Amino acid sequence: MRTTSTPTHCPYCALQCGMNLSPLPSGGVEVTERADFPVNRGALCGKGRTASAVLSSRVRLTSPLVRSEGALVPATWDDALDRIAEGLRHTRTEHGPDACGVFGGGGLTNEKAYALGKFARIVLGTSQIDYNGRFCMSSAAAAGMKAFGLDRGLPFPLEDIPRTGCVILVGSNLAETMPPALRYFSELRENGGTLIVVDPRRTRTAEQADLHLAPRPGTDLALALGLLHLVVAEGRTDEAYIRERTSGWEEARAAAMAHWPEYVERITGVSVPQLREVVRLFCEPESAMVLTARGPEQQSKGTDTVGAWINLCLATGRPGRPLSGYGCLTGQGNGQGGREHGQKADQLPGYRKLVDPEARRHVAEVWGVDPDSLPGPGRSAYELLDALGTDIRALLLMGSNPVVSAPRAAHIEDRIRSLDFLAVCDVVLSETAALADVVLPVTQWAEETGTITNLEGRVLLRRQAITPPEGVRSDLHVLHELAARLDGETGMETGMEKGFPTDPEEVFDELRRASAGGLADYSGITYRRLAEENGVFWPCPAGGHTDDSVGEREDASLDGLPNSPAGERKVVTVHPGTPRLFLDRFATEDGRARFVPVSHRAAAEEPDDEYPVLLTTGRVVAQYQSGAQTRRVDELNAAAPGPFVELHPRLAERLGAAEGDPVAVVSRRGRAVAPARITRAIRPDTVFMPFHWPGEGRANTLTNPALDPTSRMPEFKACAVRLETVRT
């Protein structure tokens, strides 16, 4: 046990709030404020404040488990690893490399995400890898790539938000999902700026807004197009900006003009006077922002929906100007970094495209393999899970709980049960881990060192504060040992395990080389810099920067990079990182942002006589994602003990339900039951369920896996249901 406090970061959301961990005389650690970290400035939500509870051996795994006679029983590490290696080896031999699947998580550090992608592609030789971050901000990422040529959650730091003139916050309840961030929006209003919140529910966040719009779920695309129509009709476009910094405006304008205000009002339920007021509030200030979250993104048209909001920003000259632009509020702790470095089915480290020959050559050279040996793109997350037990016969899963978090969850649970072999690495015995053939107990945030990338694109160093329990190993140790056991399976000669070091800094240094020259270039970032500078914003290339304000110093950021002999240190001008993107040009070939013409279309599943109500899902403040960790914290369970169905009094009256009565919510995919919570804060045609719980109240039993054609994001936010009373 360390005797002094250790500065580190929260294990939960993408804010990655700074905190200190201090040892307690009785054992364990105490979370204390860390005011020096600029994102949260010492503030913590209940989840962060109680995060140390999950470190307790009372709630976490401390021994490998293997299935014997139908039950999971303790085993040695060697036995457990041997079983995993044999399961993967047998599957690959009998059915080919793509019969082995790998599923990762948005909470894994950059080092783990990088090593997992490398392991899948050069040890298993499989294309079948994706991660639960696909369910997070993939639609925003796809839209950002189309418009700007680059995807980073926020292209500016959070500190810019209080200084802008207006923010339109679309589909985010950050007062509950990331409470320390709410201060930025409170400060915005204190400074005279305006906050507009778009959400079907009057959430705690919407209560803080100057104007709240409550559109029907699944209609955010029409709403954005209607606003752009009014911007054009009222002569509020920035013609000089459009001419000098964009392309494709004529087609996008024509598409928007087909969405006149009265038509949009009929689709969304947002009145024409409200639409006009939004346009006035957004266009009059010199600076303004649009920020989206899961509401508009988790739709079968999420990429187009985000694209429409980006078009609104471009038409009014916002992106690439100070205190202005479009941004996405990433959800998971390392949802950003997790896809930048290789967990995503179609990407290589550095945000390189797997189909790009030059990208393959560069990464293969770092990995010491033939570029032609790298598999091509595989299935997206839901498609991968849906193929379990048929095309994919064995699965290695790290840091995810799809039995609770995946759409059409009962079906995905069946697919997982049908696997020939399942191995899970996790901190706790999640609902998914409970189905595994082998479960490995791995280290968590306070027990390991590694980097994460928060919603601003700020790369952070999360430091080890305590020694893990006896019997617990890191995910990097797991990959190292499995690579050693599978050495030679893919034609490699010897020493495969040497390509999978267990030291996170060694892995990060390789990640830097692999990312060098890519869109997400981390090559100029080192552990030393992260410790000294409280994080560094990517892109941050190594060396050669000419900004005198950065200063010269002896720098190790060139070590091991192309054209730099190993161990060489040079006095260079260090790149400062890039807090604000696009100020001079966008990341497209011609430097211009691209308008993308889009048009409204209905949700994949609209209400009808049999299923007349819309269901939307989300989170509550005391729980996080699938709840695998937070549901093991007594204080959080006391605040949010279980699922509920939020419905309007008029809907409750028609159903004959009173507060607290059990209500069944039924979709074409299944049935969930939870107590009624009756409130006027939701539309009468809509019900809401949080998705943190398994069992009878599992919201994702109901949700629709209809996929966005570009991002492959499932439509979590809108599906047709009916309500039934439940006899007790």
Side-chain angles (χ1 to χ4, degrees), residues 98-387:
D98 275 357
C100 295
V102 176
F103 198 82
L108 300 182
T109 63
N110 290 317
E111 292 82 358
K112 294 178 185 179
Y114 171 82
L116 188 61
K118 180 181 177 182
F119 178 85
R121 294 182 172 104
I122 72 171
V123 177
L124 297 180
T126 182
S127 66
Q128 301 304 304
I129 175 172
D130 211 83
Y131 82 129
N132 63 13
R134 177 79 68 168
F135 302 156
C136 178
M137 57 174 289
S138 59
S139 293
M145 290 297 291
K146 285 184 177 183
F148 307 128
L150 182 67
D151 151 45
R152 195 180 85 184
L154 294 180
F156 39 72
L158 284 162
E159 67 185 39
D160 285 1
I161 290 172
R163 299 188 291 155
T164 193
C166 176
V167 172
I168 303 178
L169 187 62
V170 189
S172 171
N173 183 16
L174 55 81
E176 300 205 46
T177 59
M178 46 181 67
L182 188 62
R183 67 168 57 185
Y184 291 100
F185 299 88
S186 300
E187 291 170 6
L188 163 73
R189 298 184 68 207
E190 291 168 4
N191 292 339
T194 302
L195 176 62
I196 301 167
V197 171
V198 179
D199 198 303
R201 305 164 60 222
R202 190 164 182 81
T203 63
R204 295 184 187 182
T205 306
E207 290 284 354
Q208 306 299 314
D210 297 282
L211 179 62
H212 171 221
L213 308 183
R216 191 168 170 268
T219 64
D220 307 272
L221 174 53
L223 177 62
L225 287 164
L227 295 174
L228 182 52
H229 177 111
L230 285 171
V231 166
V232 175
E234 295 179 6
R236 296 182 182 270
T237 56
D238 188 329
E239 294 297 327
Y241 175 95
I242 292 170
R243 182 172 59 254
E244 295 165 8
R245 299 206 61 185
T246 74
S247 62
W249 169 231
E250 294 302 324
E251 295 84 355
R253 180 176 61 183
M257 296 313 288
H259 299 77
W260 59 94
E262 292 76 13
Y263 171 58
V264 169
E265 181 182 66
R266 289 198 301 272
I267 293 171
T268 65
V270 177
S271 70
V272 173
Q274 282 185 309
L275 295 173
R276 294 189 184 280
E277 180 66 359
V278 172
V279 169
R280 184 186 69 80
L281 293 172
F282 185 68
C283 292
E284 286 186 353
E286 182 178 348
S287 59
M289 300 174 180
V290 171
L291 304 177
T292 67
R294 305 303 79 75
E297 297 163 18
Q298 287 181 328
Q299 298 185 27
S300 60
K301 52 182 182 296
T303 301
D304 284 357
T305 301
V306 174
W309 289 102
I310 291 174
N311 286 348
L312 177 66
C313 290
L314 291 173
T316 51
R318 305 306 191 181
R321 285 182 168 170
L323 309 180
S324 290
Y326 163 78
C328 164
L329 299 175
T330 311
Q332 294 192 78
N334 199 31
Q336 182 76 48
R339 72 176 174 282
E340 290 168 4
H341 300 299
Q343 283 191 102
K344 198 160 173 275
D346 56 351
Q347 287 180 190
L348 288 169
Y351 221 119
R352 288 181 157 91
K353 294 181 179 179
L354 193 51
V355 296
D356 178 0
E358 176 55 28
R360 294 169 67 88
R361 184 206 62 75
H362 174 87
V363 174
E365 181 178 348
V366 174
W367 288 351
V369 299
D370 184 340
D372 292 338
S373 71
L374 298 178
R379 293 174 172 89
S380 70
Y382 179 79
E383 292 165 303
L384 188 158
L385 295 170
D386 189 40

Side-chain angles (χ1 to χ4, degrees), residues 380-397:
S380 70
Y382 179 79
E383 292 165 303
L384 188 158
L385 295 170
D386 189 40
L388 299 181
T390 53
D391 293 340
I392 300 172
R393 310 296 291 269
L395 182 68
L396 174 63
L397 185 146

Side-chain angles (χ1 to χ4, degrees), residues 52 162 510 532:
S52 62
E510 184 181 309
E532 291 177 352

Side-chain angles (χ1 to χ4, degrees), residues 37-57:
F37 185 59
V39 171
N40 62 309
R41 290 175 270 168
L44 294 170
C45 73
K47 294 185 292 292
R49 186 170 42 78
T50 62
S52 62
V54 187
L55 298 169
S56 169
S57 296

